[in-house]
Amino acid sequence: MQSLPLISVAALDSPDPQARAKVAAELGRACREVGFFYVVDHGIPADRIQQAFADAKALFALPLQDKQKMSIKLSPHNRGYVAMADEKLNPSAGADMKEAFNIGTDFPSDHPDVLAGKPFRGVNFWPELQGWRERALDYFESCLNLGRLLHRGFSLDLGLAENHFDRHLHKPIATLRMLHYPASTGETAREDAGAGAHTDYGNITLLATDEVAGLQVLTRQGEWIEAPYVPGAYVCNIGDCLMRWSNDTYISTPHRVRAPERERYSIAFFLEVEPDSLVDPRDVVPGEAPKYPPITCAEYLASRLNATYEHRNG
């Protein structure tokens, strides 16, 4: 059975250009062939990841009325608490049996972009838990730095300047999403009950999982395969925006979360680029006829999110 490639990315930070190019080629192969891979030797300490999971559990253990005060329905910027069954990633399959909490790039309430009402430039909601905000932002920044490093590998693989994406990743649209899936029951035991089959919307996703199985990936041969827990690894996948930007050179792959046999937690980091960045295939693969018209990242992401939440569908 096919399995996802495991890639050590430590050498992307090496002063040796050949070592960086070798890792970039491995990344490019995975991005073209399956769109999913494991990332190891990423430099994020294990205790920082473990603390993020502890903080997620503390958040979801809060009373529902406290979580609803931070509801994503109160934010036009995709921030806050998503209640159980509020999302339908695959509308034809019914509601997703999970709850979630989204944190975006952090801005103060008086930031010019916030005051101007720019899309995805809002303030975050924070639970009243001691030290929670500071730890969450520290973990957010760790994931963002890893995402920036991976984009340098993508640039090398695509034949671009190594820093090609840097200007798009200064204050990007990025979402740290904590997820909680209850144990399945007879009614919720369908294969995609945790999260319906979907592709991700942005550039890349970095996913940390606990040891409870659930994530499944659709191969090019149409077979659903498990993405098992690998200690210390992130599961990384290409999103629709980077697929579009690369003119379909890189592949965004459908995946789902089956109903877990026991309670499951995961933490996803969705990395897009700056809201005003123009996603134009001619910028990444200039020698090819573009398959997609240019669009800003904010416009593209909004078009995809609007269909996800029931309250936005009426």
Side-chain angles (χ1 to χ4, degrees), residues 13 62 84 88 93 154-155 200 224 280 310 312:
D13 227 2
L62 291 172
M84 194 71 67
K88 291 182 178 180
F154 300 152
S155 296
D200 289 345
W224 286 102
D280 185 346
E310 269 195 312
R312 293 181 184 175

Side-chain angles (χ1 to χ4, degrees), residues 18-296:
Q18 289 185 326
R20 299 199 304 275
K22 182 177 182 295
V23 178
E26 291 182 54
L27 290 172
R29 189 177 309 115
C31 294
R32 286 171 172 83
E33 294 179 355
V34 64
F36 264 82
F37 50 93
Y38 291 102
V39 171
V40 295
D41 302 324
H42 44 69
I44 300 179
D47 59 353
R48 188 171 300 167
I49 300 171
Q50 292 166 1
Q51 182 61 61
F53 275 96
D55 285 332
K57 291 177 181 179
L59 169 76
F60 291 122
L62 291 172
L64 180 59
Q65 60 266 30
D66 290 349
K67 292 182 285 190
Q68 291 287 28
K69 292 175 184 176
M70 303 179 287
S71 174
I72 200 167
K73 298 177 183 181
L74 303 175
S75 170
H77 302 288
N78 197 39
R79 286 158 160 79
Y81 174 68
V82 180
M84 194 71 67
D86 255 11
E87 277 188 357
K88 291 182 178 180
L89 288 173
N90 181 6
S92 65
D96 297 345
M97 296 310 297
K98 68 175 187 293
E99 57 180 340
F101 189 79
N102 289 4
I103 301 161
T105 302
D106 199 43
F107 292 97
S109 58
D110 61 352
H111 189 280
D113 286 357
V114 175
L115 294 175
K118 289 188 69 171
F120 304 105
R121 290 309 205 209
V123 296
N124 286 311
F125 295 120
W126 298 109
E128 295 181 4
L129 295 168
Q130 183 68 33
W132 200 97
R133 176 182 182 273
E134 291 74 19
R135 291 190 300 270
L137 288 176
D138 182 62
Y139 183 73
F140 184 104
E141 193 66 22
S142 295
C143 292
L144 176 54
N145 286 333
L146 176 55
R148 288 168 173 154
L149 184 67
L150 289 171
H151 275 78
R152 288 188 161 234
F154 300 152
S155 296
L156 285 173
D157 173 68
L158 292 165
L160 304 168
E162 194 168 358
N163 64 351
H164 180 86
F165 288 105
D166 286 7
R167 63 191 174 91
H168 299 290
L169 294 167
H170 177 57
K171 286 287 186 182
I173 302 173
T175 302
L176 180 66
R177 162 167 270 212
M178 297 175 171
L179 293 146
H180 172 224
Y181 302 86
S184 63
T185 66
E187 292 183 11
T188 64
R190 70 176 197 272
E191 281 298 315
D192 60 353
H198 65 286
T199 53
D200 289 345
Y201 309 148
N203 271 30
I204 61 169
T205 301
L206 292 165
L207 180 71
T209 66
D210 63 11
E211 298 182 24
V212 181
L215 178 63
Q216 296 179 323
V217 175
L218 187 64
T219 68
R220 295 290 167 266
Q221 293 71 41
E223 176 188 9
W224 286 102
I225 63 170
E226 297 285 335
Y229 169 75
V230 174
Y234 283 95
V235 186
C236 183
N237 63 279
I238 300 303
D240 298 338
C241 189
L242 187 55
M243 178 171 164
R244 180 188 184 107
W245 214 344
S246 69
N247 214 33
D248 294 352
T249 301
Y250 289 173
I251 300 297
S252 178
T253 300
H255 51 286
R256 66 188 184 188
V257 178
R258 61 181 171 83
E261 296 179 359
R262 55 193 174 93
E263 190 177 38
R264 179 179 186 266
Y265 292 86
S266 65
I267 304 176
F269 183 77
F270 300 101
L271 181 56
E272 288 83 32
V273 288
E274 303 274 348
D276 296 331
S277 289
L278 193 64
V279 179
D280 185 346
R282 295 171 298 182
D283 181 45
V284 172
V285 282
E288 297 182 7
K291 299 178 181 179
Y292 306 97
I295 188 172
T296 68

